[in-house]
Amino acid sequence: MSQQTAKILAEGLHFGEGPRWREGALYFSDMHAHALCRWREGEAVEVVARFEGPISGLGWQPDGTLLVVSMLDKQVLRSDSTGAFTLHADLSGLAPERCNDMVVDAEGGAYVGNFGFDLHGGGAPQTTVLCYIPPAGGAPSIAAENVAFPNGAVITPDGKTLILGESMGRCLTAFTIAAPGQLQDRRVFAEFPEGRLPDGICLDTAGGVWAASPTGNECLRLEEGGRVTHRVAVSQGAYACMLGGVEEKTLYILTAADSDPSAPAGSGRIEAAPAPYGRAGLP
């Protein structure tokens, strides 16, 4: 197994989430700062847009429309031609708790997770649903039930499989995409080592999944079946990751001292390490 330590590239964030590599830059949500950010190596972090509340998942539709998850009001917002954001879909009728990560498919449909319980308020853990929003927005539906804190999600390059990180289930779960919003043939892609859980994930060209693991202060690369092939140690809790950079073979990792909204701002970092394979699939 390969082991290495990430290098710190940027500091001073509150809590980075939902990283996406696009047009030579890393986009991400600074969740507790209520900001959409963009960063390029060697440059300062740039705030692209500000929101009234915390935001999480990001994704682009085929026409370039940016979708953003607004967590507390359980909505997905979309950008317009002026750069402003308007309502794309309201998930409050389906999601029992705040919404979090999202993956947008090749047609522009979006799969969105939610906490399922009041994590920071001491609520009892319970399973929840993964929601689907059609490309044009509007009425969402339930794509999967009984998932344990659905978090990061990826779609394979052929568009046929969705892999979901279940944080409280300590596993990656795979589904066959039978049709947009219809997930079938649920199976375990990989179970996590004891004491580790998945948060944000990304997929590489060899079919491996990189998963940020806040409980281990590391990112793990897992193959189907659960074999861990690579570990990247980081300076603090790892909450999300994305492949990008030259040949898309740099693993960027968003880290923070604590995920609680009341935690002091400024501990958030962007860390990075070389990866053996490039980025694949979506996001």
Side-chain angles (χ1 to χ4, degrees):
M1 179 179 60
S2 171
Q3 301 190 58
Q4 56 183 313
T5 300
K7 183 196 307 187
I8 297 170
L9 300 182
E11 300 184 83
L13 309 177
H14 195 156
F15 185 83
E17 259 289 7
R20 304 290 183 255
W21 183 258
R22 184 176 175 86
E23 297 175 348
L26 189 72
Y27 287 78
F28 61 93
S29 301
D30 194 339
M31 180 188 291
H32 302 321
H34 308 170
L36 168 65
C37 299
R38 178 172 56 211
W39 174 82
R40 293 182 174 88
E41 288 206 33
E43 298 182 10
V45 173
E46 174 188 3
V47 173
V48 176
R50 294 194 179 274
F51 297 82
E52 294 183 0
I55 60 170
S56 183
L58 306 176
W60 281 264
Q61 295 186 303
D63 66 356
T65 297
L66 173 60
L67 303 182
V68 177
V69 173
S70 180
M71 300 179 72
L72 297 185
D73 52 16
K74 306 173 189 174
Q75 294 180 347
V76 173
L77 310 176
R78 67 170 176 256
S79 62
D80 63 21
S81 59
T82 69
F85 287 85
T86 57
L87 179 66
H88 182 66
D90 186 345
L91 301 173
S92 60
L94 298 178
E97 248 296 336
R98 66 182 65 190
C99 293
N100 54 347
D101 217 336
M102 171 178 64
V103 62
V104 178
D105 66 23
E107 289 72 42
Y111 295 85
V112 185
N114 69 90
F115 285 17
F117 65 98
D118 187 359
L119 174 68
H120 300 299
Q126 58 183 332
T127 60
T128 186
V129 298
L130 181 70
C131 297
Y132 172 77
I133 303 167
S141 59
I142 294 175
E145 298 181 288
N146 298 317
V147 286
F149 207 105
N151 221 319
V154 297
I155 296 174
T156 55
D158 61 7
K160 295 180 178 180
T161 303
L162 183 144
I163 302 171
L164 176 69
E166 293 192 64
S167 293
M168 296 303 177
R170 287 188 40 245
C171 67
L172 301 175
T173 300
F175 299 86
T176 297
I177 304 174
Q182 297 181 27
L183 302 181
Q184 300 177 358
D185 187 25
R186 180 174 181 166
R187 65 257 187 210
V188 174
F189 180 91
E191 294 183 347
F192 269 64
E194 188 67 32
R196 302 294 188 264
L197 56 83
D199 200 312
I201 65 176
C202 61
L203 182 69
D204 69 27
T205 54
V209 175
W210 283 100
S213 184
T215 53
N217 292 2
E218 63 187 356
C219 264
L220 306 177
R221 182 184 181 274
L222 300 98
E223 295 179 336
E224 187 169 9
R227 186 170 79 97
V228 177
T229 64
H230 295 70
R231 292 178 184 262
V232 176
V234 293
S235 64
Q236 52 190 350
Y239 290 93
C241 58
M242 176 54 56
L243 289 162
V246 178
E247 297 183 339
E248 298 188 336
K249 293 175 69 173
T250 297
L251 182 69
Y252 295 106
I253 308 161
L254 298 179
T255 72
D258 197 321
S259 65
D260 194 291
S262 64
S267 78
R269 295 169 176 163
I270 301 171
E271 307 190 34
Y277 308 104
R279 182 170 67 95
L282 295 168

